Amino acid sequence: MNNWHVVNLKGDFLMGFFRISKEIGIDLGTANTLIFMKGKGIVLREPTVVAMNAQTKKVLAVGLEAKNMIGRTPENIVAFRPLKNGVIADFDMTQQMIKAFVERVTGKNSFASTKIVICYPLGSTEVEKRAINEATSQAGARKVMLLEEPMAAAIGAGLPVNEPIGNMIVDIGGGTTEVAIVSLGGVVVSNSIRVAGDQLDEAIINYIKKEFNLMIGERTAENIKIELGSAFEDKDEEEATMEIVGRYLVTGLPKTITITESQIRLALEDSLESILQIIKTTLEEIPPELSGDIMDRGIMLTGGGALLKGLDKLIYNETHIPTNIAEFPLDCVVIGAGHCIDNIDKVEDKQE
C-alpha cells in the first residue's frame, strides 16, 4: 500500500452502513475552505468565515455571505474567522461551519455516511490535531483521516511523492507558510512559520497607517496585495499604482490616496524575509542524499501566496535553486486530499 503520512483515524461503522457513502477531501484553511468530492472534483470554494448572533450564538451565515458582513454588521452580529494561523480558535463555530459546508455539497441528510480526508498544518500539536478531527467527526462524518498539508500540496501539485526522490514544497496559505521535503510517501524534513497571506495583509495595513496616517480594513489590504503586491522588482515593467480610500486619522474623515507597487513591496519586505529564512533553514537540514534532487528538480510553490508577483524570482535569487509555481496553486492541498480518499479504508485495515 502507499505509505501515506496519516496521523489519525476514527469513525462510526454503523452510521450510514446502509446509505450510499460520499467521500470528500477538505482543505480547511485559515482564509478559505475548499471541498473535493470523489468523482466530481472541487465542488466548494468559500472563505473560512462565520457570521453569528453574538447574543444567541446562532450561526447566521458561513462562507462568502459571512465574509461580506465583516465590518458591516450591527453590534449583535459578529462575522469572524473561526481559525487563526491554521489552528481552530473557536471549536463550536468551526464544527458548525464544516457541517454547513459539507451539507451544502452532499445534502442535509447524508453527512453521517460521509468519509472525509481533512488537512492540517505542520507544527500542529496533538491537541490541535485532535480538535480538527473532533470538529469534523462531531459535525457528523462517519470516518475522518488527517493529512499534513505539505504532503497534500505535493500530491496535488503532481510531485512523485512515493518515489525515492526528494521533492521540496513551499505552501504559503492564509495563516502559515509550510516548507517540507517529501520522499517515499513521507515528510523527511519540515518547518513552518506563522507568516503568510494574513500577515502580508497586516503588514500593508500597518505600512499605510504609519506612512499616510490612513486606516484601512482587511478587505482593502487584501485587494492592495492582489493588485500591487510584489516580491521582486522588475525594472522592465512600468510601476503600477492604485487609489485607495481609508479613514484619515488626523481628521477622522474619509480620504483618498494613491499608492505604488514599490511602496507595497517595501511594506512586505520583512514578512517575505521571514519566509525566505524558513526556506533557507529547511535547505540546510536536507539530508545529503536528497540535496542533489532538490537542486535538479527545484522548489514547488503552492497556496495563495505563490501568486504573489515575483515571489518565485525572489526565492531563486536568494537560493539559486529553480523555483516553480504549481499549475493550480490554490487547489493543490484539496486536490491532494481528494487523491487520498481511497486510502481511508486501507489505513484502517492496517491499524486493526
Side-chain angles (χ1 to χ4, degrees), residues 146-178:
L146 301 189
L147 180 69
E148 280 185 333
E149 285 179 2
M151 175 60 79
I155 295 168
L159 298 180
V161 298
N162 287 318
E163 296 179 17
I165 299 172
N167 302 277
M168 186 166 184
I169 193 89
V170 178
D171 183 44
I172 307 172
T176 59
T177 293
E178 304 178 327

Side-chain angles (χ1 to χ4, degrees), residues 5-303:
H5 190 86
V6 179
V7 296
N8 202 357
L9 183 68
K10 61 184 284 189
D12 181 352
F13 300 101
L14 298 179
M15 288 182 67
F17 184 77
F18 296 105
R19 304 177 190 175
I20 297 173
S21 176
K22 292 184 172 63
E23 301 168 324
I24 64 176
I26 299 179
D27 173 12
L28 184 65
T30 303
N32 296 288
T33 295
L34 285 77
I35 294 181
F36 180 103
M37 181 177 287
K38 186 176 179 180
K40 292 186 177 180
I42 298 173
V43 293
L44 183 137
R45 189 193 308 270
E46 292 276 347
T48 307
V49 181
V50 173
M52 71 172 185
N53 185 308
Q55 298 172 344
T56 64
K57 304 298 182 184
K58 180 181 178 181
V59 173
L60 304 176
V62 297
L64 182 60
E65 184 182 355
K67 183 178 180 179
N68 289 336
M69 296 181 182
I70 292 179
R72 299 177 175 179
T73 60
E75 290 185 3
N76 65 317
I77 298 176
V78 180
F80 66 101
R81 292 180 178 179
L83 277 80
K84 188 171 180 62
N85 298 323
V87 175
I88 293 178
D90 189 314
F91 183 88
D92 291 336
M93 291 300 107
T94 300
Q95 177 185 322
Q96 292 189 57
M97 181 189 68
I98 292 173
K99 186 172 183 179
F101 282 153
V102 174
E103 286 183 344
R104 191 179 297 179
V105 299
T106 65
K108 284 195 172 183
N109 298 319
S110 60
F111 201 148
S113 61
T114 303
K115 298 177 182 178
I116 294 177
V117 176
I118 190 164
C119 301
Y120 69 93
L122 275 173
S124 296
T125 65
E126 290 302 318
V127 172
E128 290 165 348
K129 286 184 280 189
R130 194 178 307 118
I132 294 173
N133 189 314
E134 291 181 357
T136 310
S137 297
Q138 291 180 22
R142 180 158 66 97
K143 291 183 182 179
V144 179
M145 183 176 93
L146 301 189
L147 180 69
E148 280 185 333
E149 285 179 2
M151 175 60 79
I155 295 168
L159 298 180
V161 298
N162 287 318
E163 296 179 17
I165 299 172
N167 302 277
M168 186 166 184
I169 193 89
V170 178
D171 183 44
I172 307 172
T176 59
T177 293
E178 304 178 327
V179 186
I181 309 299
V182 177
S183 178
L184 282 172
V187 176
V188 180
V189 177
S190 63
N191 286 292
S192 67
I193 185 172
R194 292 183 174 179
V195 176
D198 289 348
Q199 287 69 29
L200 297 181
D201 295 343
E202 188 176 336
I204 291 172
I205 291 173
N206 293 336
Y207 178 85
I208 298 296
K209 180 180 179 181
K210 180 180 177 182
E211 296 297 320
F212 300 100
N213 277 326
L214 197 74
M215 180 61 71
I216 60 172
E218 293 178 11
R219 294 175 65 184
T220 300
E222 185 179 19
N223 289 336
I224 293 170
K225 179 182 66 180
I226 293 170
E227 293 294 326
L228 292 187
S230 68
F232 194 80
E233 182 179 5
D234 190 339
K235 296 181 180 179
D236 294 331
E237 289 189 7
E238 184 177 347
E239 183 171 61
T241 62
M242 180 180 178
E243 280 193 352
I244 62 170
V245 179
R247 178 164 56 85
Y248 190 43
L249 295 177
V250 176
T251 63
L253 300 175
K255 182 179 179 180
T256 301
I257 64 169
T258 300
I259 53 175
T260 65
E261 185 177 335
S262 60
Q263 289 172 329
I264 301 307
R265 187 163 54 248
L266 181 62
L268 301 178
E269 195 172 58
D270 289 344
S271 297
L272 293 177
E273 180 58 37
S274 297
I275 293 173
L276 282 172
Q277 191 55 52
I278 203 72
I279 292 173
K280 291 177 182 178
T281 297
T282 305
L283 288 169
E284 292 168 0
E285 297 173 353
I286 298 176
E289 293 80 3
L290 298 179
S291 294
D293 294 339
I294 304 306
M295 288 299 299
D296 292 339
R297 299 178 57 78
I299 299 170
M300 180 65 75
L301 298 181
T302 63

